[in-house]
């Protein structure tokens, strides 16, 4: 990083289904010393890696990692298992494009944990962070030609080979160096083609005043009665029919149950504690497909407006997405005139990133696009507590 470039943000804690990536600490030195100096780990690394590995190598490297994190010149994550003992089992680093080296990411993993897809999971998590949250346009990547494991990870992510450099120097000796370019556009396209992540069954969630439970066929008459109100539908997408047909809720229920069964969405009936059979609204959550930039929708009967119930439901679902599913962000939307929905997002710490024309039941208006990062949400919640 040049002196004129702004420092990177602090290395954040990242969560995936099975992993927690946290900043490297000084006390990671012993784990590094135990797990790193193995031939399978180092053989395809650059000759900058000392080999044989010195007895104080782990401690020295942990100190260097901490210093570089403090200087904000790169990101350095300890790879740890979710639900484990927080011990480092590998390392991932990412650095800005210096315009010369064409090396922006590196990693290693103890062979004890190979063959489980953990390195791919970690690489995807970090790539999502730099492309979605930081907005980086690309990553330059490389590996020894014989390093087929690293090669496959890059292929899975949608990277393309741009050069082969013969006789590069590796710990194991000369081998060709494969240079890859992974662009944000290619990664997003690969992710959307590869499928939306399947949602687990919709769980029952509890908050102070609410129980959010899966929508069921028995909710249909209540939905027909509560949803069929202009104040509820006017800021919804124009795909919602209006005037609302007599069989509107029944027809929608068929589609809703299909979406839940297929794992496309989590769909909750919003109910008051002690009255769980009576739906008063609905809230939906679905994965990021890399294209439409919206992942949550909700409505609430106006009878229950003005009590903060919608904010409470949105907070509980957001907590589920970030802490239980391990998502790193939510894309959100609302019509520009929908000030109530606007306030819910503001309260959560979301930030506006775009405005685009859209059609709503009430007519055409700008659709406000918001981005809610897990770190921003957590910081906002801690400020309020």
């Amino acid at each position: 990083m040049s002196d004129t470039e702004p420092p990177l943000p602090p290395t954040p804690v990242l969560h995936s289904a099975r992993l927690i990536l946290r900043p490297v600490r000084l006390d990671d030195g012993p784990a590094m010393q135990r797990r790193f100096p193995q031939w399978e780990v180092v053989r395809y690394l650059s000759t900058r890696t000392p080999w044989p590995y010195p007895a104080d190598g782990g401690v020295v490297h942990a100190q260097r990692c901490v210093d570089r994190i403090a200087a904000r010149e790169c990101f350095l994550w300890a790879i740890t298992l979710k639900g484990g003992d927080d011990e480092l089992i590998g390392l991932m680093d990412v650095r800005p494009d210096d315009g010369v080296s064409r090396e922006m990411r590196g990693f290693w993993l103890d062979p004890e944990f190979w063959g489980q897809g953990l390195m791919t999971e970690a690489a995807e998590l970090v790539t999502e962070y730099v492309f979605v949250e930081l907005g980086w346009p690309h990553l330059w990547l490389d590996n020894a030609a014989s390093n087929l494991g690293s090669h496959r990870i890059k292929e899975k992510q949608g990277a393309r080979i741009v050069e082969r450099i013969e006789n590069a120097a590796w710990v194991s000796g000369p081998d060709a160096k494969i240079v890859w370019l992974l662009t944000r556009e290619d990664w997003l396209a690969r992710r959307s083609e590869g499928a939306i992540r399947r949602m687990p069954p919709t769980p029952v969630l509890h908050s102070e005043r609410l129980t959010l439970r899966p929508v069921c066929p028995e909710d249909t008459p209540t939905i027909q009665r509560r949803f069929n109100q202009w104040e509820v539908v006017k800021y919804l997408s124009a795909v919602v029919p209006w005037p609302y047909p007599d069989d509107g809720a029944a027809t929608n229920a068929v589609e809703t149950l299909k979406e839940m069964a297929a794992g496309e969405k989590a769909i909750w009936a919003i109910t008051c504690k002690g009255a769980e059979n009576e739906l008063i609204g609905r809230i939906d959550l679905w994965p990021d497909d890399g294209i439409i930039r919206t992942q949550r929708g909700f409505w609430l009967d106006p009878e229950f407006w003005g009590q903060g119930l919608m904010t409470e439901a949105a907070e509980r679902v957001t907590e589920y997405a970030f802490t239980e599913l391990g998502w790193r962000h939510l894309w959100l939307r609302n019509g520009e005139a929908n000030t109530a929905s606007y306030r819910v997002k503001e309260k959560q710490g979301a930030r506006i990133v775009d405005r685009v024309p859209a059609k709503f039941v009430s007519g055409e208006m700008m659709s406000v696009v918001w981005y809610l990062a897990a770190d921003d949400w957590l910081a906002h919640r801690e400020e309020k507590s």
Side-chain angles (χ1 to χ4, degrees):
M1 184 182 298
S2 72
D3 294 337
T4 59
E5 290 177 331
L8 296 173
T11 298
V13 178
L14 305 178
H15 297 262
S16 66
R18 297 177 292 173
L19 299 173
I20 296 175
L21 274 59
R22 58 160 176 79
V24 175
R25 304 188 302 246
L26 286 178
D27 62 6
D28 289 319
M32 286 187 189
Q33 189 67 37
R34 187 171 70 257
R35 297 186 181 278
F36 180 74
Q38 304 179 65
W39 183 247
E40 294 89 342
V41 172
V42 305
R43 61 188 297 192
Y44 295 127
L45 298 183
S46 161
T47 51
R48 294 190 299 268
T49 303
W51 190 256
Y53 201 60
D56 63 347
V59 173
V60 171
H61 190 60
Q63 180 67 66
R64 175 167 167 73
C65 288
V66 170
D67 291 344
R68 296 183 74 193
I69 290 171
R72 308 277 187 91
E73 61 182 58
C74 66
F75 300 107
L76 280 154
W77 287 278
I79 302 172
T80 72
L81 294 173
K82 185 173 281 188
D85 56 8
D86 193 43
E87 181 174 306
L88 173 149
I89 63 171
L91 189 141
M92 171 85 67
D93 72 278
V94 172
R95 46 209 175 271
D97 186 1
D98 63 6
V100 179
S101 63
R102 297 193 297 181
E103 297 176 7
M104 297 175 67
R105 187 182 72 194
F107 50 69
W108 63 266
L109 184 70
D110 189 322
E112 177 186 346
F113 300 95
W114 289 7
Q116 304 175 47
L118 294 176
M119 201 67 253
T120 298
E121 188 171 321
E124 276 289 274
L125 186 60
V126 166
T127 303
E128 179 178 47
Y129 173 68
V130 299
F131 282 165
V132 177
E133 298 194 32
L134 299 185
W136 288 11
H138 63 263
L139 285 173
W140 286 106
L141 311 169
D142 66 36
N143 59 262
S146 300
N147 191 351
L148 300 182
S150 186
H151 188 108
R152 283 193 294 270
I153 289 173
K154 297 172 179 68
E155 281 187 321
K156 289 176 185 176
Q157 291 201 286
R160 50 190 169 85
I161 296 173
V162 295
E163 189 176 6
R164 179 186 175 97
I165 302 171
E166 300 298 334
N167 296 315
W170 311 95
V171 171
S172 57
D175 192 3
K177 177 179 180 178
I178 308 300
V179 180
W180 305 71
L181 180 64
L182 177 57
T183 67
R184 184 176 187 272
E185 291 75 18
D186 288 344
W187 178 76
L188 287 171
R190 188 273 315 161
R191 187 167 66 162
S192 61
E193 289 170 4
I196 297 174
R197 291 169 286 182
R198 183 180 175 85
M199 296 287 291
T202 302
V204 177
L205 304 177
H206 298 277
S207 65
E208 182 181 356
R209 295 176 292 173
L210 300 173
T211 297
L212 309 181
R213 59 161 176 81
V215 169
C216 62
E218 291 73 22
D219 292 320
T220 301
T222 308
I223 292 174
Q224 183 69 34
R225 183 178 76 253
R226 294 190 183 279
F227 184 77
N228 188 19
Q229 303 179 69
W230 178 248
E231 291 302 311
V232 171
V233 305
K234 65 179 181 178
Y235 294 129
L236 299 183
S237 167
V239 299
V240 174
W242 189 262
Y244 200 58
D246 293 339
D247 63 348
T251 300
N252 184 254
V254 174
E255 183 63 26
T256 294
L257 295 174
K258 283 182 180 178
E259 290 174 329
M260 293 172 67
E264 296 173 7
K265 287 184 177 182
I267 303 176
W268 289 274
I270 302 172
T271 72
C272 294
K273 277 189 174 176
E276 282 80 7
N277 290 332
E278 181 70 13
L279 174 149
I280 64 171
R282 174 175 145 173
I283 185 164
D284 300 5
L285 180 73
W286 58 96
D288 181 7
D289 68 357
I291 300 173
I292 63 174
R293 296 193 299 175
T294 183
Q295 294 178 257
R296 189 184 71 195
F298 51 67
W299 62 266
L300 184 70
D301 190 313
E303 177 186 346
F304 299 90
W305 290 6
Q307 304 174 47
L309 294 177
M310 199 66 256
T311 297
E312 187 172 323
E315 274 290 276
R316 185 62 187 91
V317 166
T318 301
E319 180 180 41
Y320 171 70
F322 288 160
T323 65
E324 298 184 47
L325 297 182
W327 293 3
R328 293 298 306 154
H329 67 268
L330 285 175
W331 289 105
L332 310 170
R333 287 200 188 210
N334 59 261
E336 196 159 36
N338 190 351
T339 54
S341 186
Y342 196 107
R343 284 194 296 270
V344 170
K345 297 172 179 66
E346 276 190 322
K347 290 175 184 176
Q348 292 199 288
R351 63 180 189 270
I352 295 173
V353 295
D354 203 1
R355 285 180 169 84
V356 295
K359 294 181 179 179
F360 297 87
V361 173
S362 56
E364 295 186 7
M365 72 178 76
M366 299 302 288
S367 177
V368 183
V369 181
W370 303 71
Y371 183 78
L372 178 57
D375 290 339
D376 290 344
W377 172 78
L378 184 60
H380 204 71
R381 189 168 68 163
E382 289 175 349
E383 287 175 3
K384 293 187 295 183
S385 62

